[in-house]
């Protein structure tokens, strides 16, 4: 019977129920979108690293395991790496940040293409001039570029010579020598990707190189890819914490306002229930159930809206951001929202439960 | 056997800096199965008597017993139990829950008192007598005032309370509907033996009762 009353109350004010649910859902969407973007971008980065086709990577001393790095490693080390037993191919990479999380990558085209099994060009082809750039299809879509379009970055106009299928480490690539020159970093690289005769030799090669290059972080690619996790990004974890707190606050405020208004509006009805013999627990139970139902509807709205944010991201900024749908966070976000909602209803519900029956019945 | 026993009942309100003596030593005995009308002008204290008998407000002093249970020492929880189990209300404004159907408006009174069994044959007959059996799935707003008041009567007696308290039950109704509601109250009183205490300012409405007492300036005459 109580559930019927709760359901009818929600149905009786459809606009308020819808707006409250959407507002509660926004908190859920905030959490799911943030966690999804974090996971999605790391997963995308891992997929693109996998797409290089290397067995191991040698990075500059002191560089972060998941960061892109800078042109700080001496290129001379390349000949040492190439001379190692089991190494069939080693190619240097240069990375130059172009602001935010965007970067441009310098490669030795032939070596890089050979290591990863070649580029799959959707349009155009490899660099043929000093100011040529190749970009992946997502970047082309986001920036509305075609072969022959001009791309301005690093204070210079580049001609797009080819658009390749994404999944090859970077979205924007130019010849390594051009990058080094523009960055005034001749002879400097960011990392070296290494292909071995047999992946089974990976650990042996790493052990051997670490003896000679103790300062250099050297990772097997699979080990490196495993590092692409939110747990290795304390800043992201802290930010998720902030957003979770905001979502709780959001749920609290929305439910507080919605239910406070509802209690005021239903003063007379609460009086009727009390005249019929309903105790404080009965009234409290009605409002708590109504809130839980609102939170459940809100969570479902939030989950649906997180698909909306994913669509928006993949439609308008597919190269800058990737949002994954993280199913494991559905119950977490819903429970967090529920906690905020229950906190929000406590004061209005206690106010309603304590309402004097006679005063409530006199309310117009 | 008296189902309502009131001795020297007093109720004093504080209104600003002034004490208002709403009831000034009321004495009353109501027999089980009686239909009593308390008549008085606005401000005479009849509504205060109604609220005390219904457990909506405590008395200041005196003795009030309903079905042998003393109301004087009851705290809020005790008065809640009294309203749940011993008293049924019919208000001037019907006071139905607008979001629920007629059936649910009646059932919620049963739910509050912890009863889940379907209505018994006797209550189904009451519903028939009240003429609302065919309106069970409608919402209150789809019913006329007279029909809503008949639903309120059904809700008030669904838990078989010791007394049915009716506060100006025809105050919002036209003559035809008033007469119908009062006829039904009298009919139910005679048929089921339900004790009814009706508060009214209307002598014509009071005439439907077995006995009439007058309330004036917080005192009861003719009791």
């Amino acid at each position: 019977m109580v559930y019927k009353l709760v359901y009818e109350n929600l149905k009786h004010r459809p606009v308020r129920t819808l707006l409250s649910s959407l507002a509660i859902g926004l908190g859920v969407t905030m959490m799911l979108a943030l966690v999804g973007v974090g996971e999605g971008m790391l997963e995308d980065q891992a997929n693109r690293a996998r797409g290089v086709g290397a067995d191991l990577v040698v990075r500059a001393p002191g560089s972060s395991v998941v960061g892109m790095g800078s042109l700080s490693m001496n290129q001379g080390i390349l000949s040492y790496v190439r001379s190692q037993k089991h190494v069939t191919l080693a190619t240097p990479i240069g990375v130059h940040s172009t602001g935010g999380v965007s970067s441009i990558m310098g490669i030795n085209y032939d070596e890089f293409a050979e290591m990863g099994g070649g580029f799959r060009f959707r349009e155009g082809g490899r660099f043929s001039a000093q100011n040529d750039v190749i970009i992946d299809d997502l970047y082309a879509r986001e920036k509305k570029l075609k072969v022959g379009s001009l791309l301005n970055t690093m204070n210079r106009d580049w001609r797009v010579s080819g658009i390749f299928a994404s999944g090859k480490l970077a979205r924007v690539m130019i010849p390594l020598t051009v990058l080094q020159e523009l960055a005034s970093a001749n002879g400097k690289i960011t990392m070296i990707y290494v292909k071995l005769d047999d992946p089974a030799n990976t650990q042996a090669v790493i052990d051997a190189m670490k003896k000679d290059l103790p300062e250099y972080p050297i990772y097997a690619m699979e080990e490196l890819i495993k590092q692409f996790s939110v747990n290795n990004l304390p800043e992201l974890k802290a930010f998720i914490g902030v957003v979770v707190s905001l979502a709780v606050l959001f749920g609290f405020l929305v439910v507080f306002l919605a239910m406070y208004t509802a209690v005021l509006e239903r003063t007379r009805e609460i009086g009727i229930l009390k005249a019929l013999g309903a105790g404080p627990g009965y009234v409290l139970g009605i409002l708590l159930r109504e809130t839980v139902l609102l939170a459940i509807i809100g969570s479902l709205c939030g989950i649906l809206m997180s698909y909306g944010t994913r669509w928006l991201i993949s439609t308008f900024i597919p190269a800058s951001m990737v949002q994954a749908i993280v199913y494991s966070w559905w119950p977490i976000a819903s429970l967090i929202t529920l906690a905020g909602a229950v906190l929000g209803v406590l004061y209005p519900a206690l106010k309603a439960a304590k309402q004097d029956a006679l005063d409530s019945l006199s309310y117009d | 056997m008296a189902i309502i026993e009131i001795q020297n009942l007093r109720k004093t309100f504080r209104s600003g800096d002034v004490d208002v003596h709403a009831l000034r030593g009321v004495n009353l005995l109501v027999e089980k199965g009686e239909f009593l009308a308390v008549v008085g002008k606005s401000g005479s204290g009849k509504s205060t008597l109604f609220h005390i008998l219904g457990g909506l407000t405590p008395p200041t002093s005196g003795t009030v017993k309903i079905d042998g249970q003393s109301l004087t020492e009851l705290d809020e929880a005790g008065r809640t139990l009294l309203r749940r189990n011993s008293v049924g209300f019919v208000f001037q404004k019907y006071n139905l829950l607008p979001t629920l159907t007629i059936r649910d408006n009646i059932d919620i009174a049963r739910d509050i008192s912890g009863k889940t069994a379907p209505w018994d044959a006797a209550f189904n007959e009451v519903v028939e007598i009240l003429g609302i059996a065919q309106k069970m799935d409608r919402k209150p707003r789809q019913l006329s005032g007279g029909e809503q008041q008949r639903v309120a009567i059904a809700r008030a007696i669904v838990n078989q309370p010791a007394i049915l308290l009716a506060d100006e039950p025809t105050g919002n109704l036209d003559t035809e509907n008033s007469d119908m509601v009062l006829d039904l109250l009298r009919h139910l009183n005679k048929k089921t033996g339900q004790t009814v205490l009706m508060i009214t300012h209307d002598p014509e409405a009071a005439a439907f009762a077995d006995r009439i007492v007058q309330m004036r300036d917080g005192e009861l005459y003719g009791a």
Side-chain angles (χ1 to χ4, degrees), chain A residues 135-182:
Chain A
I135 58 177
D136 79 357
D137 47 4
L138 297 179
Y139 191 83
R141 180 143 61 95
E142 181 174 324
K143 303 291 180 186
K144 298 182 173 56
L145 296 171
K146 293 179 177 173
V147 167
S149 300
L150 291 181
L151 167 65
N152 186 282
T153 186
M154 294 179 78
N155 296 320
R156 148 173 199 178
D157 283 334
W158 303 80
R159 189 189 72 90
V160 176
S161 68
I163 297 171
F164 60 90
S166 66
K168 287 289 182 188
L169 193 63
R171 304 212 183 277
V172 183
M173 296 188 193
I174 58 173
L176 176 61
T177 50
V178 177
L179 180 73
Q180 288 170 323
E181 197 171 312
L182 280 174

Side-chain angles (χ1 to χ4, degrees), chain A residues 53-104:
Chain A
D55 293 310
L56 60 91
V57 60
V58 181
R59 297 180 67 111
S63 60
S64 150
V65 66
V66 289
M68 290 307 280
S70 60
L71 290 157
S72 58
M73 190 198 293
N74 198 322
Q75 196 165 347
I77 199 130
L78 186 60
S79 52
Y80 163 80
V81 173
R82 281 175 174 153
S83 69
Q84 293 302 297
K85 196 178 168 187
H86 302 300
V87 173
T88 57
L89 185 61
T91 187
I93 299 289
V95 179
H96 182 80
S97 170
T98 52
V101 292
S102 305
S103 60
I104 191 163

